[in-house]
Amino acid sequence: MTVLIERAGCVGREDELDELTSRLALTRASGSAAVLLLGDPGLGKTALIRGLVDRTMTTALMARAGAWEQESPGAVLRQLLGEAMYRACRDDASADPVAAADALVARALDTGSAEDAGLILVDDADLADTLSLQAIASALRRHRDAPVLVVLAATRSTPFLGEIAAETVRIEGLDAAAVGELASLRGRILHPAMAEVLTRHTAGSPRDAVALLDELPPNRWARPETQLPAPVHVRDKVELALAGCGADGRALAEAFAILGEDASLGQAATLADLEDPLSAVDALAAAGLVEATHDHRPRWRTPLVGVAVLTAMGARRAADAHQRAAAIVDDEVRRARHLVAATPMPDANLADEVARLAQRRGDEGAWAQAAALYRDSSRLTEDPVRRDDRLIRSVDALVAAGDGMGAAALVPVVEGLRETPLRDAVLAYLAILRGRATEAEVRLKRAWDIVNPDREPETAALIATRHVLHSLALCRGDELVTWADRAIALAGRDSAAGVEAAAIRGLGLAMSGRFEEAHEAYAAAARRVGHSAQTQRVTMGRGWLDVLTDEPDEARSRLEGVTDPRVLGGSTRISMWALAWLARVQFLTGEGESALQTVAAGRALAAESGIALVTPLLEWTATETHLLRGSWEDAARTARAAEVGAQGYEIMRVPALLARAHIAEARSDFRAVLRILEPLTQAPAGSALAEPAIWPWAETYAAALIAEGRLDEADEFLRPHETRAGEERHRSAQARLATARGRWHGARGDLAGVRDTFDRALGLLDGLPLRYERARVTFAYGQALRRAGRRRDAEALLSSARDLWDGLGAVTYVDAAQRELRAGGVRAGGVRAGGVRAPRGRRGPADLTPQEETVAEMVASGLSNREVAAQLFVSPKTVQYHLTRIYAKLGVRSRTELAAMAAEPTEEP
């Protein structure tokens, strides 16, 4: 099998290759080192070390240990040194390991040019003989300065290997993307969902994935619902092991294969008819099939072992065991699935029973279970109309559970079925989660056009709930509420569709500015759902509303409890929304590191589920966090990630635009800010884009207008937003808009207006734990007062802003506050003393004023007059005036000479 992996290349191991390559390069400066490369059998350790050789184009010494040679001293050394050199070492009068160590380093360095580092690779090093490992250890100790890297690849660590290698690189199973790439190299183009299925089935093992790709016919890879077998080499190994672990061991293995690993040892023992299962556990562990745990419940060495055990049982014995298992398990879903597994032919009665159970689990919000049960029911159904309906409902439940990958893989199957309202609604549902607004709109319209609400109220209600989600993504609050009320009227308030509609209805009320009604609606919905899987949906909606209504502590409490889709059998989609808004809360309250960790968790769920709808919201928060930290490259990367596919829905487009706009704002490129955000000014009537409490873009746009000197436009733009925020008494929205208005007063020279407006903004934020918003308002207030010549007052505010930014880890804005303080004449209190000054001997009357020194420093750094003006909140003409005086004082004639002077070392008195 190793040959197959090597032919496919070293796939999905870029991080590990980068680490090993860096470590090899480091030996040129730091001397010899050893790295232990650990990974289970079949994960591609051999391919990885060969990939290292290929990447670095190094001629390496390579050896592979074997269990049969462990007692043969020098077996690995013989491979590394070659027969002649090894014999010379053996004949040397000194101790064998020492002589071999010197020869080993010499040969490693002789294999390449004088500039190359030496590379020694030992595969299966945990099987290496003691003498060879002693020689390697001696080589590292005796030749500490030699540029030699030893890589010891092993399945397990040993005390000696741990002593030799100071560093360990662990490799895990490949992800689905890498498995898909591996498949393409084998001539198989897999749907992403099929790649995910193969990855889970093999735990990402390249060896097992390659084996199945070669063993199964092409048509098996076109059906993601297919049950994959274990590879032949795994089946052979498992059958041999079963034969050697006794009747009791085999019976227990078969019981766990039928019941699943999460079954208790007692249940497995009952099914296997064993009085003493512990002896059987020991036998399975000794055979290498399981790993024993502290609670005596064995776990398969790999998931494929259980699959192979089922295959070894045969169809008849497995069916009989499933029938017996149905009487042992105490969970109705497991009982039903065992009965299905025991029934190979269509069975109308069982199909109906399973379908009813699927509906109940779906009504309770356990969508993943509902999906599996509907699929089982479909298989047992002979009537084609009902069979198709149940298959479609299975896909709908998959989407509701957040398994976008699995649902997407079944789209061709569903599209091949006859058109029904349910079919179109399910395909629209998936289109929504994938961010395809136009496709969803067409399919939802068609579904509603052809459904008969009188004859099919349940289906009509389901279509209405899909319209609810579609309206949410389009940020149309009134439309959302209309569809939610329609769904509730059709299905009933306590039905699954009614609960789902109510869980989103509150957000529609909020998007329409009806915040009090939204809170009341969520309180009522929470009372109805109690403690069930539907609780996740309602709790997430309440947490989202809390974010929008300046209640971050309540939002955090609610959202943290619903970020794991496994809790209460909830939905991945709901968990992704919870993570996105939790990250937003963490950012606003000054927990940047936590925000980035939450974003990373959301990204992982997005990659696993194939859901694109929430990604821009996650990346917007990541972008702003990176900007605060001064991580410009990371900010640009996450802003690009937010833009991918963000053109369909407003809930995707707005965060993507905000991410780009805030990068432009941080760079004082206000023309770019206006260009990026201008599309949002064209929001249609009824859109939540006009709600300042929902999307914080209006103040950014207004501030850019003011910075560009377009004061009349800024005034006209701000008025309706200020009125709306005031009518709704939304504190943070009013504060943000007041900040823009304060800048407007400052640009007009209205000092009283500046003070009144900014004082009101700070008062509105008083008592709210929104540290980011307070820092922005305080900084803008200080800027405006400094420009108005109120240096003492400005100094207090700017110093406070600097401290607030520092507490947020906002390096970018700490620097900006320090520049403002220098411009106002402040040089103490932790402010940097750098800048452009006259050379020694020219000081005295020619010294720059604080404002001139700040301008000189910024111009010398490469900023244009317009960029300097934007950052200092002055006009470009003022910058040019200061620059003319700077040139005269310093005796320079150009920006280039100014930059050169700034680069000269300054002698301090």
Side-chain angles (χ1 to χ4, degrees):
M1 282 304 155
T2 300
V3 175
L4 295 179
I5 298 170
E6 291 170 8
R7 276 211 323 263
C10 186
V11 174
R13 299 297 184 197
E14 285 303 312
D15 290 344
E16 293 88 345
L17 278 175
D18 287 344
E19 188 168 351
L20 293 175
T21 302
S22 298
R23 196 63 195 82
L24 178 62
L26 191 61
T27 59
R28 298 187 183 96
S30 60
S32 62
V35 174
L36 179 59
L37 180 65
L38 278 182
D40 289 338
L43 288 185
K45 298 184 294 296
T46 302
L48 179 56
I49 59 178
R50 290 187 182 278
L52 176 64
V53 173
D54 293 341
R55 172 182 281 197
T56 59
M57 294 187 292
T58 303
T59 304
L61 303 184
M62 299 183 68
R64 186 166 195 168
W68 59 92
E69 294 181 322
Q70 275 187 298
E71 303 304 322
S72 177
V76 168
L77 271 176
R78 183 178 282 107
Q79 296 179 59
L80 294 172
L81 294 175
E83 192 65 31
M85 185 174 289
Y86 175 71
R87 287 187 178 280
C89 293
R90 292 282 294 177
D91 294 341
D92 194 279
S94 60
D96 288 335
V98 175
D102 295 341
L104 197 57
V105 172
R107 184 152 194 250
L109 295 176
D110 284 346
T111 55
S113 65
E115 295 80 19
D116 287 340
L119 183 59
I120 300 173
L121 306 172
V122 180
D123 205 357
D124 294 330
D126 47 327
L127 303 178
D129 63 280
T130 302
L131 176 62
S132 296
L133 291 178
Q134 289 173 338
I136 291 171
S138 296
L140 293 168
R141 292 174 182 173
R142 290 169 56 82
H143 300 275
R144 296 182 187 276
D145 296 330
V148 174
L149 177 68
V150 177
V151 179
L152 304 169
T155 297
R156 60 184 180 87
S157 183
T158 65
F160 200 179
L161 291 178
E163 183 181 339
I164 294 172
E167 298 178 55
T168 299
V169 174
R170 296 183 181 275
I171 62 173
E172 307 292 341
L174 299 177
D175 61 20
V179 169
E181 183 182 351
L182 194 65
S184 68
L185 292 171
R186 309 297 298 172
R188 299 273 191 269
I189 305 301
L190 300 185
H191 187 283
M194 190 68 247
E196 183 69 34
V197 168
L198 180 57
T199 304
R200 292 177 184 173
H201 185 68
T202 61
S205 166
R207 177 179 65 187
D208 295 333
V210 165
L212 284 174
L213 288 165
D214 286 345
E215 292 168 10
L216 298 182
N219 64 343
R220 290 289 291 275
W221 302 108
R223 306 200 309 270
E225 76 280 6
T226 189
Q227 294 295 314
L228 295 177
V232 170
H233 73 273
V234 174
R235 297 204 301 267
D236 291 345
K237 185 176 181 180
V238 167
E239 287 183 6
L240 183 63
L242 287 172
C245 64
D248 287 355
R250 184 173 195 124
L252 187 64
E254 291 177 350
F256 271 110
I258 292 293
L259 292 169
E261 277 189 301
D262 53 353
S264 69
L265 183 59
Q267 288 176 323
T270 299
L271 183 60
D273 195 22
L274 296 178
E275 293 183 1
D276 177 22
L278 292 181
S279 297
V281 171
D282 290 340
L284 292 175
L289 295 175
V290 303
E291 296 174 344
T293 61
H294 67 281
D295 59 357
H296 306 298
R297 184 169 60 186
R299 297 191 182 280
W300 303 122
R301 287 280 183 182
T302 72
L304 290 175
V305 173
V307 178
V309 171
L310 275 176
T311 303
M313 290 178 70
R316 181 70 269 163
R317 289 183 61 227
D320 291 344
H322 277 297
Q323 193 73 44
R324 297 197 310 276
I328 292 173
V329 297
D330 51 10
D331 177 80
E332 62 177 349
V333 173
R334 293 190 182 200
R335 173 185 172 276
R337 301 215 70 197
H338 282 303
L339 290 175
V340 169
T343 309
M345 303 296 288
D347 185 323
N349 291 332
L350 181 57
D352 291 344
E353 179 187 341
V354 174
R356 286 192 295 270
L357 178 57
Q359 182 171 357
R360 288 202 304 274
R361 298 305 289 148
D363 290 347
E364 295 163 3
W367 299 282
Q369 289 184 347
L373 290 166
Y374 273 127
R375 187 167 58 249
D376 289 343
S377 176
S378 176
R379 182 179 69 79
L380 295 176
T381 303
E382 194 162 21
D383 176 69
V385 175
R386 301 182 75 186
R387 182 177 62 238
D388 292 352
D389 180 83
R390 287 165 176 172
L391 178 59
I392 292 170
R393 290 185 184 278
S394 171
V395 176
D396 185 68
L398 278 176
V399 181
D403 188 358
M405 288 285 196
L410 291 170
V411 165
V413 177
V414 174
E415 287 182 327
L417 303 177
R418 66 186 183 87
E419 185 181 30
T420 65
L422 178 63
R423 168 187 172 276
D424 286 334
V426 169
L427 293 174
Y429 194 8
L430 182 58
I432 293 169
L433 297 192
R434 298 164 85 181
R436 300 178 180 179
T438 302
E439 178 188 346
E441 183 85 35
V442 171
R443 292 192 184 278
L444 283 174
K445 184 178 185 305
R446 177 63 178 166
W448 190 251
D449 286 344
I450 64 177
V451 74
N452 186 322
D454 294 330
R455 289 201 304 266
E456 304 174 275
E458 181 185 345
T459 301
L462 184 142
I463 297 169
T465 61
R466 303 304 177 245
H467 271 290
V468 167
L469 181 58
H470 182 59
S471 299
L472 174 70
L474 289 171
C475 295
R476 299 174 185 169
D478 290 336
E479 184 180 290
L480 187 160
V481 172
T482 298
W483 280 110
D485 290 342
R486 189 172 290 160
I488 293 169
L490 284 164
R493 188 168 295 276
D494 295 325
S495 67
V499 171
E500 182 176 348
I504 305 178
R505 184 177 182 274
L507 295 174
L509 292 169
M511 286 182 174
S512 303
R514 298 153 65 182
F515 294 106
E516 288 300 323
E517 290 182 62
H519 279 297
E520 292 170 4
Y522 271 118
R527 288 193 295 271
R528 281 197 303 276
V529 299
H531 191 70
S532 67
Q534 291 283 20
T535 304
Q536 185 205 30
R537 189 165 292 202
V538 173
T539 303
M540 185 282 296
R542 293 186 85 179
W544 185 339
L545 177 62
D546 290 334
V547 178
L548 300 180
T549 55
D550 294 336
E551 298 174 279
D553 292 336
E554 289 83 352
R556 183 198 313 277
S557 176
R558 290 190 171 112
L559 294 171
E560 285 180 342
V562 292
T563 56
D564 188 343
R566 294 169 296 182
V567 175
L568 298 175
S571 164
T572 299
R573 170 172 63 87
I574 302 301
S575 293
M576 286 179 63
W577 284 122
L579 287 166
W581 288 111
L582 176 60
R584 196 76 203 147
V585 168
Q586 291 165 333
F587 169 76
L588 291 171
T589 56
E591 303 163 76
E593 187 60 37
S594 295
L596 290 178
Q597 291 174 0
T598 302
V599 167
R603 285 193 194 114
L605 278 185
E608 177 185 318
S609 66
I611 296 174
L613 193 62
V614 189
T615 296
L617 188 60
L618 291 162
E619 301 299 352
W620 168 39
T621 296
T623 299
E624 291 201 301
T625 305
H626 289 313
L627 278 178
L628 290 185
R629 295 178 163 197
S631 304
W632 294 91
E633 289 185 6
D634 288 335
R637 173 179 52 78
T638 52
R640 287 193 299 271
E643 283 190 280
V644 176
Q647 299 306 310
Y649 280 112
E650 301 300 275
I651 211 160
M652 303 172 74
R653 190 165 68 101
V654 178
L657 293 176
L658 282 170
R660 289 175 54 208
H662 285 142
I663 290 177
E665 181 186 48
R667 290 180 171 159
S668 301
D669 187 353
F670 293 106
R671 288 182 178 175
V673 172
L674 295 174
R675 184 177 64 253
I676 292 166
L677 295 182
E678 195 277 333
L680 301 185
T681 66
Q682 310 300 319
S687 171
L689 271 60
E691 271 293 337
I694 304 299
W695 294 114
W697 67 272
E699 62 275 16
T700 303
Y701 187 80
L705 286 172
I706 295 163
E708 288 294 302
R710 296 159 61 177
L711 300 185
D712 291 342
E713 290 179 64
D715 179 44
E716 183 180 357
F717 172 79
L718 277 171
R719 286 185 183 279
H721 292 278
E722 290 169 323
T723 300
R724 185 82 172 179
E727 290 173 347
E728 293 163 2
R729 293 181 295 179
H730 194 284
R731 292 169 63 184
S732 68
Q734 290 182 80
R736 290 192 298 267
L737 293 166
T739 302
R741 179 60 73 180
R743 290 186 182 278
W744 182 82
H745 283 301
R748 296 174 67 247
D750 179 2
L751 180 59
V754 168
R755 289 189 183 279
D756 289 346
T757 310
F758 275 110
D759 284 343
R760 184 164 61 86
L762 289 174
L764 286 163
L765 293 177
D766 193 36
L768 296 179
L770 303 176
R771 297 169 64 198
Y772 171 74
E773 301 289 9
R774 177 168 289 278
R776 282 179 67 92
V777 174
T778 305
F779 178 63
Y781 194 178
Q783 275 188 316
L785 289 181
R786 199 266 309 155
R787 186 186 184 206
R790 301 293 181 174
R791 293 187 177 183
R792 185 178 299 277
D793 293 340
E795 176 186 343
L797 285 162
L798 290 169
S799 296
S800 177
R802 181 190 60 200
D803 294 343
L804 287 168
W805 288 129
D806 187 52
L808 295 173
V811 175
T812 300
Y813 292 99
V814 168
D815 290 345
Q818 289 177 339
R819 282 197 302 271
E820 289 289 337
L821 285 164
R822 286 200 302 274
V826 179
R827 299 180 187 275
V831 180
R832 296 177 187 171
V836 180
R837 302 180 182 179
R840 190 173 178 84
R842 297 195 209 172
R843 304 195 60 83
D847 281 358
L848 304 182
T849 66
Q851 180 85 326
E852 289 167 352
E853 186 172 317
T854 300
V855 170
E857 178 185 346
M858 297 174 75
V859 169
S861 72
L863 296 180
S864 68
N865 286 7
R866 177 176 290 279
E867 291 169 332
V868 174
Q871 291 196 23
L872 295 182
F873 210 70
V874 297
S875 70
K877 288 184 179 179
T878 300
V879 174
Q880 185 57 51
Y881 169 77
H882 286 310
L883 200 53
T884 301
R885 291 174 58 84
I886 291 165
Y887 287 169
K889 287 183 178 184
L890 298 184
V892 298
R893 294 170 295 178
S894 68
R895 305 169 84 90
T896 303
E897 291 183 15
L898 184 64
M901 178 177 289
E904 293 176 2
T906 303
E907 298 180 30
E908 296 294 339

